[in-house]
Amino acid sequence: MGKGQELWKTAKTVIPGGNMLLSKRPEQFLPEQWPAYYSKAKGCRVWDLDSREYIDMSIMGIGCNTLGYGDDEVDDAVRRAIDLGTMSTLNAPEEVELAQKLIALHPWADMARFARSGGEANAISIRIARAATGRDGVALCGYHGWHDWYLAANLGNAETLAGHLLPGLSPNGVPQSLRGSVFPFAYNDYDGLEELVRTQSIGVIKMEVSRNYEPEGDFLVRVRQLADAHGIVLIFDECTSGFRQALGGLHKVYGVDPDMAVFGKALGNGYAVTGVLGKRDIMQAAQNTFISSTFWTERIGSVAGVATLRVMEREKSWEKITATGREITARWQALGKKHGLPLTTAGVPALTSFALKLPKAQAYRTLISQEMLARGYLAATAVYTCTAHTPDIVDGYFEALDPVFALIRDCEDGRDVMSLLNGPVAHSGFTRLN
């Protein structure tokens, strides 16, 4: 057992759950074996507390680092900001520059507000939209954070079990009085959404543009038209999808503009900054409620955002990571065919993933992480691509993955997968609506 697992045991005695983010818990990958902590990260390489080096072919800082870890230009801009002072009684001018740059990328938008996490930004957007429409009801599709407004969807109703709408996300601690304020709908289910608008007092439609599925036909166009017809604020959550397939949001690819959009993760290439963009008449409703926080004004986030956008635009990073993701997806499919394994792929190209449609899929996923870790890779069944994932890196990854797929084939032919695992099977996460 390495230093990382030892520290993780300690962490769970002093931090509820062990850390701040479910997706980074070692049990999600490889219980009792995952390195858990890093000492250094650069490009697509990560060093653990025992100074072991790994190539990250997994979720790259949960999708924050499309330019790779520690981009020199972004980091240099942040270092200058630190030298000049990151907090003051006065405001940081870079937040105005960042707002102007984001608005210039989105001609439909007029104003911006900033925060430091995706959950905060989504909560801000909901508060503003509800204030603008005067209606509490939210129709949602996707994952939008941890705040009460969102988990209220899991309160269900008197006739059903709490939690059935978003499996794995517990509503414990969410006031029961919020029951009936949020109404989930499935992606591409326009009729279901239309029924919600007809029967509930919906003032906001909140959704990811796309995640695991493509929009069918004119689904997004019809959602836009439905919102317009009923005076509903349409919010696209682009925290994850933003800046991966276009310089801006995924909605630019599909040609459908929202009334508001939320951006995060890739916006600061690992530094904490998220943004809410919107039309002026809607965003001004922020003045009629209270949305304010000290650390939303610190300088580093805005500086990192401006520098990240500059590098993205020059390097056309979205084109590179999309091409890399498409290649990885195709090679997974080819590897599945080679070994006779029923494999499906999903996701935006730069957020690509695969699934083995087999009864022991979770055990196989654990085996992949175990065997790839031994070969020097942080890996499971998803790759969030970055510009540091060069062709030689991708080639090396597939050279390492091929014999692991062969091992899975052996298990399907009779070998006991549990006899190959050096620890428990990885935990599964919550289920998405899209």
Side-chain angles (χ1 to χ4, degrees), residues 233-253:
V233 174
L234 175 60
I235 307 175
F236 283 158
D237 180 355
E238 296 259 21
C239 274
T240 298
S241 58
F243 305 101
R244 297 186 192 279
Q245 213 164 329
L247 184 59
L250 188 58
H251 68 274
K252 297 176 75 171
V253 174

Side-chain angles (χ1 to χ4, degrees), residues 12 29 66 95 105 108-109 138 147 255 313 350 366 371 390 401 414-415 432:
K12 289 192 286 188
F29 296 91
T66 61
E95 67 186 23
L105 290 174
W108 56 268
V138 178
H147 290 71
E313 187 166 17
T366 309
E371 295 304 303
T390 54
L401 188 61
R415 193 170 182 179
R432 290 181 178 270

